[in-house]
Amino acid sequence: MAEETIVLTYSNEASGETLVSMRVLEIIAGLAAQEVDGVSRLRGSLTERAQEAFGRRVHGKGVELQQTKSGLDVDVYVYLNYGVSVPKVSHAIQQRITSQVAAMTELQVNLVNVHVQGVISQKTTNTIDVNNLFGDESDTEGTKK
C-alpha cells in the first residue's frame, strides 16, 4: 500500500519537489497537542497500545488528517487532566497544532477539531500506617503495666 504524501514546494526554479508523508504530519500534530498544559494523553488504537506495551513510543496517535484543496483538516482525540478548563485547553491545542504545522511545513491548516475523549483524574496515594490501621491515634503502648 502506497503511503500518502503531500507536495510542499513546487517551483519552476527548483530542480525537484519536496514530499512529506502524512504520517510525519500526524507526528507533528500529535507532539504539538501533547505539549499543551492540561492534556493527559492522546487516544490510541489497539495496535498503538500494544506497541507501547512492548516499550515502543508511538507518536501521532489520536490524530487524523485529511487533505483538502485549501489545506489540512486535523482531528485530534485527547484525554484531559481533571480540573482544567476544556474550552481553554481545546483552544490552546488548536493554536499549537496550527502554528507547529505551519512552522515546520508551511502548510495551511484549515481547522483543528478537538475531540475530548475523557477526563483523567490524578491518582491519590493512600499511605497506610500498619501500626494504626483503624485510625485510632490513642497511645496503646503506654497502657501496659
Side-chain angles (χ1 to χ4, degrees):
M1 182 171 149
E3 197 168 321
E4 191 174 345
T5 59
I6 296 177
V7 177
L8 283 187
T9 56
Y10 183 74
S11 174
N12 292 337
E13 299 171 8
S15 61
E17 59 189 19
T18 303
L19 301 174
V20 174
S21 169
M22 291 293 274
R23 182 75 179 137
V24 171
L25 296 173
E26 289 174 355
I27 291 170
I28 292 170
L31 289 173
Q34 288 176 340
E35 291 174 352
V36 174
D37 288 335
V39 174
S40 177
R41 61 184 169 94
L42 273 62
R43 177 194 77 184
S45 67
L46 182 62
T47 305
E48 291 166 341
R49 281 184 256 154
Q51 289 176 352
E52 284 184 338
F54 289 113
R56 181 171 177 228
R57 186 162 177 138
V58 179
H59 299 290
K61 64 181 180 178
V63 177
E64 295 176 4
L65 298 175
Q66 183 177 10
Q67 183 180 9
T68 62
K69 291 182 180 181
S70 59
L72 288 174
D73 294 344
V74 181
D75 287 298
V76 62
Y77 299 85
V78 297
Y79 289 90
L80 300 181
N81 294 326
Y82 179 78
V84 299
S85 172
V86 174
K88 287 181 182 179
V89 173
S90 298
H91 185 67
I93 291 169
Q94 291 170 329
Q95 289 181 327
R96 182 77 177 171
I97 289 175
T98 302
S99 66
Q100 288 296 313
V101 170
M104 293 185 184
T105 64
E106 296 182 4
L107 287 173
Q108 173 76 24
V109 177
N110 296 331
L111 57 95
V112 178
N113 295 318
V114 178
H115 304 272
V116 178
Q117 298 293 296
V119 176
I120 307 294
S121 63
Q122 293 181 354
K123 293 182 181 178
T124 57
T125 56
N126 293 336
T127 57
I128 298 174
D129 183 12
V130 294
N131 295 324
N132 189 11
L133 291 177
F134 299 108
D136 297 334
E137 295 188 26
S138 62
D139 185 18
T140 57
E141 294 179 359
T143 59
K144 293 181 183 178
K145 291 184 181 181

